[in-house]
């Protein structure tokens, strides 16, 4: 039986599909993914796709998405995973199943050599059509746009792998941890302004991205929202960042590029910014900041810690 599971976050819509081999009939359910509430993530949409196990439980899974790999291991499907792509480095147990497979330039013959009965990928290439032609089931999980996107994808993988209860438990734990992190932060009279750095050339993100969604939980204001341009991933100028003097700086380029609190403080003119002068520069693991799966909880908790630090400064 050929199956294709799809979780596409496009224009805020998630699609779940199941196609039977040799049959033109298709069962499809759609749900609008609710935007996370400014105080806490929204409850699951009542119209979310059915998460009962669909078809035979796969025994040989190949994951070509680091985010999906983290989801699979979190829900207890790790024993079913036989291979992961070259970028899947978490959890540590995943490294034992690392291969030279690429999610960016996938080689369908190399993937098929692992004799998978389910391939997990992000849908950014035409791999799905190639796998369909070989009769190999595949699940597509595009990058999340909201917290609910993450929850639905985890539950869909639980359904696809026979770990429904475990997936629901992971989602419940994530919701509770995120809600607790947000609730732990003291309310500030004036919302702090922040700069999120993707790389040392000052590429950043606006509030329209998932990263912006994380900071939006705490009511933070994004300096990139006032920058000129139409992209949600603008390249800011050094002069603009300094002139904005953000209260908080979050560095998501420490692993890739060696950026640190000290390196930021040594940039010409940056010492005068509010964030650097108060020590409010925070390091976010590059992977945690870019893989929107179970470890998004770590991301939210780090932002909560940063907010608590700023609150202490204000109280002092």
């Amino acid at each position: 039986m050929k199956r294709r599971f799809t979780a596409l976050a496009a224009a805020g819509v998630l699609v779940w599909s199941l196609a039977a081999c040799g049959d033109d009939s298709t069962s499809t359910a759609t749900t609008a993914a609710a935007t996370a509430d400014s105080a806490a993530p929204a409850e699951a949409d009542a119209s979310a796709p059915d998460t009962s196990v669909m078809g035979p439980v796969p025994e040989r899974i190949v994951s070509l998405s680091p985010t999906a790999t983290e989801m699979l291991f979190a829900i207890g499907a790790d024993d079913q995973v036989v291979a992961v792509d070259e970028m899947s480095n978490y959890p540590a147990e995943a490294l034992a199943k690392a291969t030279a497979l690429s999610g960016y330039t996938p080689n369908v013959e190399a993937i098929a050599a692992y004799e998978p009965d389910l391939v997990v990928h992000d849908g950014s290439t035409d791999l799905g059509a190639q796998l369909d032609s070989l009769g190999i089931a595949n699940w597509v999980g595009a990058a999340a746009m909201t917290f609910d996107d993450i929850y639905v994808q985890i539950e869909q993988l639980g359904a696809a792998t026979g770990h429904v209860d475990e997936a629901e438990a992971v989602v419940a734990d994530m919701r509770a941890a995120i809600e607790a992190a947000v609730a732990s932060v003291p309310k500030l009279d004036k919302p702090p302004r922040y700069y999120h750095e993707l790389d040392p050339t000052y590429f950043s993100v606006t509030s329209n991205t998932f990263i912006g969604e994380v900071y939006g939980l705490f009511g933070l204001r994004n300096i990139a929202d006032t920058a000129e341009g139409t992209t949600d991933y603008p390249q800011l100028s050094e002069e603009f960042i300094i002139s904005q003097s953000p209260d908080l700086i979050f560095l998501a380029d420490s692993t890739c590029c060696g950026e640190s609190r000290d390196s930021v403080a040594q940039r010409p003119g940056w010492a005068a910014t509010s964030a650097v002068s108060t020590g409010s520069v925070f390091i976010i693991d590059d992977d945690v900041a870019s893989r929107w799966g179970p470890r998004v909880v770590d991301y939210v908790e780090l932002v909560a810690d940063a907010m608590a630090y700023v609150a202490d400064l204000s109280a002092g």
Side-chain angles (χ1 to χ4, degrees), residues 138-163:
N138 58 108
W139 178 92
V140 182
M145 292 298 293
T146 69
F147 284 89
D148 275 358
D149 289 357
I150 299 173
Y151 302 146
V152 170
Q153 288 187 2
I154 290 172
E155 289 174 347
Q156 288 179 345
L157 278 176
T161 61
H163 294 276

Side-chain angles (χ1 to χ4, degrees), residues 136-206:
I136 299 175
N138 58 108
W139 178 92
V140 182
M145 292 298 293
T146 69
F147 284 89
D148 275 358
D149 289 357
I150 299 173
Y151 302 146
V152 170
Q153 288 187 2
I154 290 172
E155 289 174 347
Q156 288 179 345
L157 278 176
T161 61
H163 294 276
V164 173
D165 292 343
E166 294 93 329
E168 290 178 350
V170 169
V171 169
D173 288 346
M174 289 178 66
R175 287 182 181 277
I178 291 172
E179 183 177 358
V182 174
S184 71
V185 176
K187 301 299 180 184
L188 298 173
D189 294 334
K190 184 179 181 181
R193 300 165 73 250
Y194 74 93
Y195 161 60
H196 179 98
E197 182 169 290
L198 293 175
D199 72 16
T201 66
Y202 313 130
F203 272 97
S204 190
V205 297
T206 71

